[in-house]
């Protein structure tokens, strides 16, 4: 029997008198718990409360996954604390009613189950997850500057070990189906074909739910809690300051004060309602939309690759090939000899073991990555990625050789970090097919790919390249072929300013502290050492030769004396066991604020110039690129969003002060006036 009065839900009652609640949010690719979806869920609950069913199963009719969470669009209207509280309490009341239904309830989790989705399944008696790689279950609210609010904190810390539950919420990291099983978040993990049957059997046989063991209870004891909370705070402090990211601290406090108490549910609602209106949360929500905006650009073309051919198996080409194979593509990897390909294959084995864990999946990924010293794969590939030495002539030679062998509709990509597209493409019969796919190092960690185009690039090719980037799980950012593209160009003045300061005798520890205090994920001195001072110098030389500017002598000196950073155990810092030795800064006359101004102004000034020159399409894409390419303090919403909080006159004055004191590098770009008028 089917009930057809809903837009987003469908209730089907089967011959065993089990009610199956299918969620399929209307006009949406993914299920989210919008207020409309929740309203209908309330009506469903009324029906479930009025009839006696053998059991209730909640499942998704979307192939994309179960439930992606609450509808983040609605968070933007919740800046009023009382309004937010009212809505959160309403949602809590629905999940409480779900929990109190007299019959057993089961959630069938396919694909992603996030945030509000996880909070909903926590209110069910049983959770069954599909045994697939794409299954991901989590409470990632912390990434939006909030914490779970629909009872997720109460229920997860009650059901699981509080350490596991808090870790899941504090990191925001989603779990695989098997990891969720291990910590007791789901009861069963079964293949897709057994899901429905598993739900039915669970309802008919009602296995006894596992009760919290002694240790779990002990960890939540009011005497132990403050000790654990203190440890949690210490760990959080290493990653995020309370001033910039209040949510993890609020979450720890909530658990520490109220775990096990009848007030906890209401306090959870109160705490999230306070957080959601903060600048941090609203900016992080903005960043979430920026990220979605980048993903959307990948949907402008239906292009899908099956086979990728990578030429150059060095640091970048090798890792790009591994990544594409990890993402399910067939990859042929070419270099000058098998010996040059071997290290990449070794790295791939390590990556696949880490990410895929199960042996047959690792073997399948290894099978997809094919060493191809003779370049046989070239002619069949849908995407060809050149990642050989950064040398114009060598790259041009290669392009001349391979153009006619490639399929006419294959994407022709270069990973160059500095050579203009028109110079590379000048040797091609058809330069309009050449596009830059600028990956960042390390490929495994960096989400962004700059999609580099120029006036000759066919627009469809740019769209196809963006689609390919999203296919392999990365974020595409369209940038104009110009020196340094966006990310390196904006980052370099910031790194060079840090080097100038070291040259002036300012302690690297203090410079890095100032950047961390501002909200950067890593200080610029440590970052330069990590990237390699030789690479920094080479990029700086390319950029200054084309755009002007100076390079501090200290950078030349360090490189010529072989102190290249972490890779040589000495750069600006000395390294012991891979960690920088940070000497306490003493007797420094410069203030933290001045260090921050010098670093951040140079970065923002370059960003404003890039915007004015049209390197990227608009302010939002620029902010997105800089956050995802450099890690620029996400709680600010990006450099331009931050810039809009400043006053033009005081900034002008500050630029002039810095310029007269530190020698000509602080000339305000004319774009500021337009942005701050
Ligand atoms: P690499 O020096 O580690 O590797 C280059 C590889 O290309 C070597 O294995 C070499 O044998 C191979 N090669 C050279 N000529 C070849 C040819 N004709 N046919 C086949 N293979 C050939 O270089 P890396 O660092 O991987 O850089 C590659 C490209 O990626 C460069 O264009 C670089 O600018 C760019 N890039 C580098 C980044 C980095 O952090 N290293 C970041 C982003 C882009």
């Amino acid at each position: 029997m089917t009930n057809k009065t809903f837009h987003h839900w469908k209730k089907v009652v089967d011959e065993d008198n089990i009610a199956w609640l299918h969620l399929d949010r209307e006009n949406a690719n993914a299920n989210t718990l919008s207020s409309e979806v929740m309203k209908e869920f309330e009506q469903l609950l009324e029906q479930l409360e009025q009839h006696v069913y053998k059991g209730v199963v909640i499942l998704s009719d979307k192939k994309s996954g179960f439930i992606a969470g609450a509808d983040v669009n609605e968070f933007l209207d919740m800046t009023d604390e009382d309004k937010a509280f009212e809505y959160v309490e309403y949602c809590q009341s629905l999940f409480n009613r779900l929990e109190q239904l007299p019959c057993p309830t089961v959630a069938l989790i396919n694909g992603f189950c996030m945030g509000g989705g996880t909070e909903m399944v926590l209110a069910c008696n049983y959770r069954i997850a599909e045994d697939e790689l794409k299954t991901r279950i989590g409470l990632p609210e912390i990434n939006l500057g909030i914490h779970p609010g629909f009872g997720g904190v109460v229920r997860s810390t009650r059901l699981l070990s509080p350490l596991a539950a808090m870790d899941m919420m504090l990191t925001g990291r989603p779990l695989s189906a098997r990891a969720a099983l291990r910590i007791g978040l789901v009861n069963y993990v079964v293949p897709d074909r057994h899901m429905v049957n598993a739900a039915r059997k669970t309802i008919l046989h009602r296995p006894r739910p596992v009760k919290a063991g002694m240790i779990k209870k002990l960890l939540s004891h009011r005497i132990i809690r403050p000790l654990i909370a203190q440890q949690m705070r210490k760990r959080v402090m290493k990653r995020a300051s309370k001033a910039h990211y209040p949510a993890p601290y609020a979450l720890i406090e909530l658990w520490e004060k109220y775990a096990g108490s009848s007030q906890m549910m209401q306090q959870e609602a109160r705490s999230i309602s306070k957080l959601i209106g903060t600048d941090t949360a609203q900016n992080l929500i903005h960043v979430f939309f920026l990220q979605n905006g980048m993903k959307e650009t990948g949907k402008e073309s239906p292009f899908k690759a099956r086979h990728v051919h990578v030429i150059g198996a060095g640091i970048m080409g090798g890792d790009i090939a591994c990544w594409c194979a990890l993402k399910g593509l067939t990859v042929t990897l070419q270099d000058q000899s098998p010996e040059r390909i071997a290290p990449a294959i070794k790295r791939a084995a390590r990556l696949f073991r880490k990410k895929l864990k199960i042996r047959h999946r690792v073997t399948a990924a290894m099978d997809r990555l094919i060493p191809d010293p003779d370049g046989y794969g070239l002619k069949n590939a849908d995407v060809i990625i050149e990642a050989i030495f950064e040398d114009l002539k060598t790259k041009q030679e290669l392009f001349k050789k391979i153009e006619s062998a490639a399929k006419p509709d294959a994407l022709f990509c270069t990973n160059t970090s500095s050579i203009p597209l028109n110079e590379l493409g000048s040797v091609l019969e058809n330069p309009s097919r050449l596009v830059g796919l600028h990956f960042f190092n390390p490929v495994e960690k960096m989400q962004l790919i700059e999609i580099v185009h120029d006036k000759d690039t066919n627009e469809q090719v740019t769209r196809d390249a963006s689609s390919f980037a999203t296919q392999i799980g990365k974020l595409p950012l369209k940038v104009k072929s110009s020196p340094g593209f966006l990310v390196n160009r904006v980052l370099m003045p910031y790194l060079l300013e840090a080097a100038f300061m070291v040259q002036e005798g300012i302690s690297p520890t203090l410079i890095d502290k100032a950047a961390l205090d501002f909200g950067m994920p890593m200080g610029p001195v440590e970052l330069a050492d990590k990237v390699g001072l030789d690479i920094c110098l080479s990029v700086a030389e390319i950029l200054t030769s084309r755009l002007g500017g100076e390079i501090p002598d200290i950078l030349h000196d360090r490189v010529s004396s072989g102190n290249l950073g972490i890779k040589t155990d000495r750069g600006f810092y000395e390294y012991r066991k891979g960690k920088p030795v940070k000497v306490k800064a003493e007797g420094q006359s410069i203030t933290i604020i001045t260090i921050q101004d010098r670093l951040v102004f140079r970065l923002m000034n370059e960003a404003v110039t890039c915007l004015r020159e049209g390197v990227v399409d608009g302010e939002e894409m620029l902010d997105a690129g800089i956050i995802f390419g450099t890690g620029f303090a996400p709680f600010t919403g990006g450099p331009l969003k931050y810039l809009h909080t400043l006053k033009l006159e005081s900034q002008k004055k500050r630029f002039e002060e810095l310029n007269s004191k530190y020698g000509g590098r602080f000339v305000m770009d004319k774009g500021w006036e337009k942005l701050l008028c």
Side-chain angles (χ1 to χ4, degrees), residues 11 46-53 102:
K11 188 179 94 196
E46 274 157 25
Q47 296 182 7
L48 297 171
E49 284 159 347
Q50 278 160 20
H51 291 80
V52 181
Y53 291 106

Side-chain angles (χ1 to χ4, degrees), residues 460-484:
Q460 187 56 40
V461 169
T462 313
R463 285 194 283 271
D464 291 350
S466 298
S467 170
F468 172 66
T470 41
Q471 184 185 352
I472 59 170
K474 300 282 180 192
L475 299 171
L477 178 79
K478 256 175 66 186
V479 298
K480 203 166 79 177
S481 175
S482 59

Side-chain angles (χ1 to χ4, degrees), residues 287-305:
V287 173
F288 171 83
F289 287 118
L290 294 181
Q291 187 175 9
N292 281 355
M294 283 198 275
K295 287 185 190 158
E296 283 302 310
T297 63
K299 291 185 188 153
E300 288 166 11
S301 153
F303 180 87
K304 285 280 168 290

Side-chain angles (χ1 to χ4, degrees), residues 3-11 21 35-51 53 90 93-94 97 101 120:
N3 184 316
K4 281 211 164 77
T5 54
F6 298 106
H7 292 282
H8 310 292
W9 292 91
K10 185 174 75 181
K11 188 179 94 196
L21 311 184
S35 42
E36 256 191 50
V37 169
M38 294 302 268
K39 263 260 147 316
E40 286 193 3
F41 186 61
E42 183 180 15
Q43 291 165 31
L44 274 172
L45 281 168
E46 274 157 25
Q47 296 182 7
L48 297 171
E49 284 159 347
Q50 278 160 20
H51 291 80
Y53 291 106
Y90 164 71
S93 73
L94 300 186
R97 285 165 66 185
L101 286 176
M120 180 182 257

